[in-house]
Amino acid sequence: MISPSTDPFLAPYAIHEETSKGRKYREKSHSFRGEFQRDRDRIIHSAAFRRLQYKTQVFVNHEGDHYRTRLTHTLETAQIARTIARALHLNEDLTETIALAHDIGHGPFGHAGEWALRDLMKRHGGFEHNQQCLRIVEHLEESYPDFPGLNLMYETLEGLKKHPENFYKNRKPRFRSLESELVDIADEIAYNSHDLDDGLRSGLVREEHLSDLGLWQDVWKYIKRKYPKHPALKKRRLAIRLIINTLVVDCVQTTQARIKRLGIKSLKDVQAVTRQVVGLSEVKKRQHVELKRFLYKNLYSHSRVVRMTQKGQRFLEALFRAYLKTPKVLPRDVQIRAKKEGIHRAVCDYIAGMTDRFAQDEYDRFFEPYERLA
Ligand code: MG
């Protein structure tokens, strides 16, 4: 078997398999698959991962087939993350695993779903999708006879603990990796650019609204000069592609320069740094934040988007209360967990695991008088 550290491709500050802290429950190694490869495969084969296909990113699933879902968002994030990881000689398998798993803790109906569960769980231990992601991979997935959850590698689990950008200034995490940091950036690059694309596609955002956005203006000027006769749709697609590329290239160059400046030569050096290492240059960061703010104001708070997602929030609240009132309607495994962890946590896990579609069907089964039960 080729071991990663004998692979001259990996940088010394990357995560190497043989210096890993390994898994909580010991397992035999596989004859030709590396440990982080196995982690990635466990995520892909998990039920939580499959359900991403019917979970809302911004547009509720039945609004149209061309909008991003959590699954396509996840795949775009993984693609961007792998590109950056490979360019920086970081561990691509670990990066891909973290990227593929990063959103599996989200409930149905996007942010509205998150707010609903957070409110409902306020006095019962709370709800937060990153925490939920860890709960899924450590407890809730039941696929293996010898251990609960997916028994992922230590570095994968630590990589799934998302830290806000200024986290490193105030606290020292028990472990950090550049692989994990880069997935955060890849996630942001993916959603800012594809939400802009979906916003334009839906007509909720129009090209003339974008005149103050530096990131858009730079690529748009170039496209208009180079392809003046290109149809509008193709121009838009090209613009989104160029924005992603600009940010990815900037991230790779900025990070390479920082690694050099901070004198990072080993994983130990990575642990000692008190600032974010993977990131964008000041100019691109400012433009990226500008785009993020624009999307908040013009897309996420648009009355049509709010209306779509508010409906979801109401479904979830009604379902939550109905389950609390009559726990006997819950599936057996949820009832068993309720005995161990309390009814609120068990119902929260159950609802958080639902797709938009399942939650809507379940709502009908509960509240529509003519709906059949089976
Ligand atoms: Mg995400």
Side-chain angles (χ1 to χ4, degrees):
M1 190 167 101
I2 303 164
S3 76
S5 74
T6 57
D7 176 358
F9 179 83
L10 272 189
Y13 41 79
I15 297 291
H16 291 247
E17 195 173 304
E18 48 287 281
T19 49
S20 160
K21 295 193 185 161
R23 304 182 190 279
K24 186 169 171 191
Y25 302 91
R26 271 185 85 99
E27 290 182 54
K28 263 202 214 134
S29 57
H30 191 274
S31 56
F32 54 83
R33 281 191 309 157
E35 297 305 326
F36 293 110
Q37 233 183 316
R38 295 172 86 189
D39 276 9
R40 178 198 56 206
D41 302 347
R42 286 175 190 195
I43 295 295
I44 291 178
H45 291 278
S46 69
F49 182 77
R50 280 193 297 281
R51 293 193 200 118
L52 292 173
Q53 72 177 312
Y54 289 110
K55 288 191 177 193
T56 290
Q57 182 68 23
V58 172
F59 289 87
V60 173
N61 202 275
H62 62 256
E63 292 284 323
D65 291 347
H66 296 286
Y67 298 119
R68 268 72 174 187
T69 64
R70 283 237 176 256
L71 180 63
T72 62
H73 158 70
T74 296
L75 297 175
E76 288 181 40
T77 302
Q79 178 271 313
I80 292 169
R82 283 179 52 195
T83 300
I84 299 172
R86 197 179 296 188
L88 294 173
H89 294 259
L90 295 171
N91 191 319
E92 199 175 322
D93 288 333
L94 171 62
T95 304
E96 191 180 7
T97 309
I98 299 171
L100 291 175
H102 89 280
D103 266 356
I104 59 172
H106 273 287
F109 303 111
H111 286 292
E114 172 106 4
W115 297 327
L117 289 173
R118 205 177 52 195
D119 281 354
L120 290 159
M121 291 299 288
K122 208 168 13 190
R123 262 171 274 137
H124 306 279
F127 177 82
E128 199 272 323
H129 70 266
N130 292 309
Q131 291 292 331
Q132 191 65 14
C133 169
L134 286 163
R135 231 178 117 64
I136 291 170
V137 299
E138 291 188 292
H139 303 287
L140 300 179
E141 281 288 331
E142 288 172 343
S143 311
Y144 299 86
D146 299 326
F147 45 79
L150 303 177
N151 197 29
L152 300 176
M153 298 286 276
Y154 175 85
E155 294 75 8
T156 307
L157 291 172
E158 288 300 311
L160 290 172
K161 292 178 186 162
K162 199 171 168 168
H163 301 307
E165 200 196 321
N166 53 12
F167 177 89
Y168 303 109
K169 280 186 203 149
N170 315 322
R171 270 168 296 171
K172 208 167 150 35
R174 53 177 194 161
F175 180 82
R176 60 184 290 192
S177 67
L178 300 184
E179 284 82 351
S180 164
E181 267 184 58
L182 88 82
V183 174
D184 283 350
I185 304 284
D187 182 25
E188 283 186 33
I189 294 175
Y191 69 69
N192 279 327
S193 52
H194 68 47
D195 288 351
L196 177 60
D197 191 27
D198 281 354
L200 286 163
R201 179 191 297 278
S202 68
L204 301 185
V205 172
R206 287 203 301 275
E207 196 242 297
E208 59 264 30
H209 297 156
L210 307 175
S211 54
D212 291 334
L213 289 182
L215 217 43
W216 176 267
Q217 281 311 316
D218 287 352
V219 302
W220 200 242
K221 261 186 246 153
Y222 164 82
I223 293 171
K224 281 211 296 207
R225 199 177 62 236
K226 189 120 199 258
Y227 304 100
K229 295 205 177 75
H230 225 36
L233 175 69
K234 287 192 179 169
K235 272 195 201 141
R236 189 189 83 213
R237 285 190 182 148
L238 181 56
I240 299 298
R241 224 164 55 224
L242 291 175
I243 286 176
I244 295 175
N245 188 59
T246 304
L247 294 172
V248 168
V249 170
D250 182 83
C251 177
V252 169
Q253 289 171 345
T254 306
T255 308
Q256 275 167 338
R258 272 188 208 158
I259 287 171
K260 216 169 160 191
R261 201 171 56 239
L262 294 165
I264 295 174
K265 293 198 175 64
S266 65
L267 190 56
K268 221 173 131 201
D269 293 339
V270 173
Q271 308 306 314
V273 190
T274 52
R275 58 165 296 185
Q276 205 169 359
V277 179
V278 184
L280 299 170
S281 63
E282 284 308 316
V283 176
K284 290 297 161 212
K285 195 172 143 189
R286 203 174 338 107
Q287 290 183 339
H288 202 215
V289 171
E290 191 180 78
L291 170 59
K292 199 179 198 168
R293 290 208 182 112
F294 172 87
L295 290 169
Y296 263 100
K297 196 162 153 243
N298 298 286
L299 183 65
Y300 310 143
S301 335
H302 193 288
S303 58
R304 260 180 61 197
V305 172
V306 174
R307 197 180 280 240
M308 267 187 288
T309 47
Q310 283 297 312
K311 205 155 57 171
Q313 191 164 351
R314 279 198 295 278
F315 282 146
L316 297 194
E317 284 163 2
L319 280 177
F320 201 101
R321 299 218 160 84
Y323 292 136
L324 282 190
K325 207 169 162 201
T326 326
K328 282 215 155 46
V329 299
L330 289 161
R332 255 189 73 76
D333 59 317
V334 181
Q335 292 189 39
I336 292 169
R337 207 171 322 117
K339 288 208 179 94
K340 275 193 279 180
E341 305 198 53
I343 183 73
H344 284 84
R345 181 56 59 196
V347 168
C348 176
D349 285 340
Y350 184 45
I351 291 183
M354 289 179 184
T355 61
D356 296 14
R357 194 167 67 160
F358 184 86
Q360 276 161 292
D361 289 348
E362 187 72 346
Y363 181 89
D364 280 350
R365 284 193 284 270
F366 261 113
F367 300 106
E368 290 297 321
Y370 290 105
E371 192 69 20
R372 285 170 190 261
L373 288 178

